[in-house]
Amino acid sequence: MIYSTGSNIKVFACNSNHDLAESIAKKLGLKLGDAEVEKFSDGEISVKINETIRGADVFIIQSTSYPVNDNLMELLIMIDAMKRASAGRITAVMPYYGYARQDRKARARDPISAKLIANILTSAGANRVLTMDLHCAQIQGFFDIPVDNLIGSPLLTSFYINKYGDDLQNFVAVSPDLGSVTRTRTFAERLNIPLAIIDKRRPKANVSEIMNIIGDVKGKKVILVDDMIDTAGTITNAANALKERGAVEVDACCTHAVLSGPAIQRIQDSAITELLVLDTIELPEDKKIDKITSVSVDDLFANAIKCIHEGVSISQLFD
């Protein structure tokens, strides 16, 4: 769908997810703004804005995924460039918000990096943040500027409704840990299927141990639901445990496919039949395997940008 927008809206992109940015701009009936984001020989980031943005409503699309710090600095420097060029309003569009898992002090003397990033974005000159499925919704409270946190679940559930239809009555939605129960319950309600929960113990970072499964999965097809998959230890251990306990098929889905370290090999070797992800993070070619299916968030973000630009409520996008 092509939207009718005012002439003073401009959409720019840094380097983390250029294809998604192009697609969002196309949905809005716009071309990406003319900008260059490069590196000097010593690694410092260079940003050049090659068109006037004075008074414009500017949206900068950049996921702070791997390489996290480079992508974050690109975004900060572009925000600063826009502010100094007298942009009317600057919205940081961050489909994936890096550092979101460092949202509290888990141990003595821990930083709260998610709050630090919020402060830095605001200091750089961002007037608003548009993101999706923050690891903890409370991160919105770290900001002193408006934050719109879109929900990816409707895109995931729509995929399964279209794919399985009436066969969904044979499915169970499974939360891979206690922290994902609320998210998985909402997912299950959308599909009108039962809910099961995996109770696990994590002895150290990126290592999980399956303990108990609360709910009936025997003879059922199951869908594991999480907001992000990083090293894939939790999701693959859960999938294998579900298979051992009688599940006939295991699918998995998430919003953010971080997929770092041994993730791809773990998924390839696991009981997961299909992993459904959203394209908030661009998947490099070496991570595109047959088990992974991607659904685009371009239309949802384009709608949100249109609502923000026109000053109308985006709550309709949460239905």
Side-chain angles (χ1 to χ4, degrees):
M1 181 184 295
I2 301 299
Y3 302 114
S4 174
T5 55
S7 60
N8 65 333
I9 181 174
K10 292 182 181 287
V11 178
F12 288 83
C14 300
N15 291 323
S16 74
N17 205 334
H18 212 272
D19 288 346
L20 175 61
E22 287 270 12
S23 187
I24 291 171
K26 187 176 180 181
K27 294 275 184 183
L28 288 163
L30 302 169
K31 288 186 177 181
L32 279 180
D34 186 3
E36 301 171 39
V37 184
E38 299 171 339
K39 282 186 179 179
F40 292 113
S41 59
D42 65 352
E44 290 183 2
I45 291 163
S46 163
V47 171
K48 295 178 183 175
I49 312 297
N50 297 321
E51 62 181 87
T52 180
I53 55 165
R54 182 175 294 273
D57 192 6
V58 173
F59 295 82
I60 306 171
I61 301 171
Q62 175 82 330
S63 284
T64 49
S65 50
Y66 179 85
V68 181
N69 298 326
D70 284 356
N71 286 334
L72 178 60
M73 282 304 299
E74 286 184 4
L75 176 59
L76 294 171
I77 293 171
M78 183 172 277
I79 289 171
D80 183 72
M82 297 291 183
K83 180 177 71 172
R84 295 175 187 278
S86 301
R89 179 174 63 178
I90 304 167
T91 301
V93 181
M94 305 171 70
Y96 172 69
Y97 183 90
Y99 286 99
R101 285 171 286 181
Q102 298 184 45
D103 64 314
R104 67 194 186 282
K105 290 185 69 170
R107 299 176 301 273
R109 296 174 294 280
D110 271 1
I112 304 180
S113 304
K115 167 63 174 168
L116 174 63
I117 300 305
N119 289 345
I120 295 171
L121 285 165
T122 307
S123 296
N127 303 115
R128 192 179 196 100
V129 170
L130 173 63
T131 187
M132 174 173 275
D133 280 349
L134 287 168
H135 188 62
C136 293
Q138 297 92 319
I139 292 173
Q140 294 172 88
F142 292 174
F143 287 87
D144 294 322
I145 56 176
V147 178
D148 294 303
N149 183 29
L150 300 178
I151 299 170
S153 180
L155 297 175
L156 300 171
T157 52
S158 293
F159 175 88
Y160 288 119
I161 290 168
N162 292 332
K163 180 174 181 178
Y164 294 114
D166 293 338
D167 192 41
L168 279 170
Q169 62 186 352
N170 299 315
F171 278 78
V172 176
V174 180
S175 173
D177 52 37
L178 297 176
S180 297
V181 171
T182 301
R183 180 182 303 107
T184 308
R185 182 183 293 115
T186 302
F187 180 91
E189 287 172 352
R190 286 180 180 275
L191 295 181
N192 195 26
I193 59 177
L195 169 69
I197 302 166
I198 293 176
D199 174 33
K200 76 175 193 304
R201 181 177 301 158
R202 188 189 294 273
K204 58 182 180 180
N206 292 328
V207 176
S208 63
E209 178 185 349
I210 300 298
M211 302 299 290
N212 300 298
I213 295 177
I214 305 165
D216 182 19
V217 298
K218 192 171 183 179
K220 297 284 189 178
K221 297 178 180 179
V222 303
I223 303 173
L224 281 158
V225 183
D226 214 342
D227 65 323
M228 71 171 70
I229 297 176
D230 188 356
T231 59
T234 295
I235 209 83
T236 54
N237 285 347
N240 295 337
L242 289 164
K243 198 78 171 179
E244 290 167 6
R245 286 160 173 78
V248 296
E249 182 181 313
V250 181
D251 288 341
C253 65
C254 72
T255 300
H256 308 300
V258 180
L259 303 181
S260 63
I264 294 297
Q265 193 60 50
R266 283 176 173 173
I267 292 165
Q268 195 74 275
D269 297 339
S270 75
I272 294 173
T273 302
E274 179 183 46
L275 171 60
L276 177 65
V277 304
L278 302 183
D279 63 348
T280 57
I281 298 173
E282 189 169 33
L283 279 182
E285 289 300 322
D286 61 342
K287 292 184 179 180
K288 292 179 180 177
I289 60 174
D290 291 340
K291 281 191 175 185
I292 297 178
T293 301
S294 180
V295 172
S296 186
V297 298
D298 55 1
D299 199 54
L300 184 56
F301 272 92
N303 270 293
I305 289 171
K306 176 178 180 286
C307 289
I308 292 168
H309 174 60
E310 295 182 352
V312 300
S313 171
I314 71 165
S315 59
Q316 58 186 310
L317 305 180
F318 295 92
D319 297 329

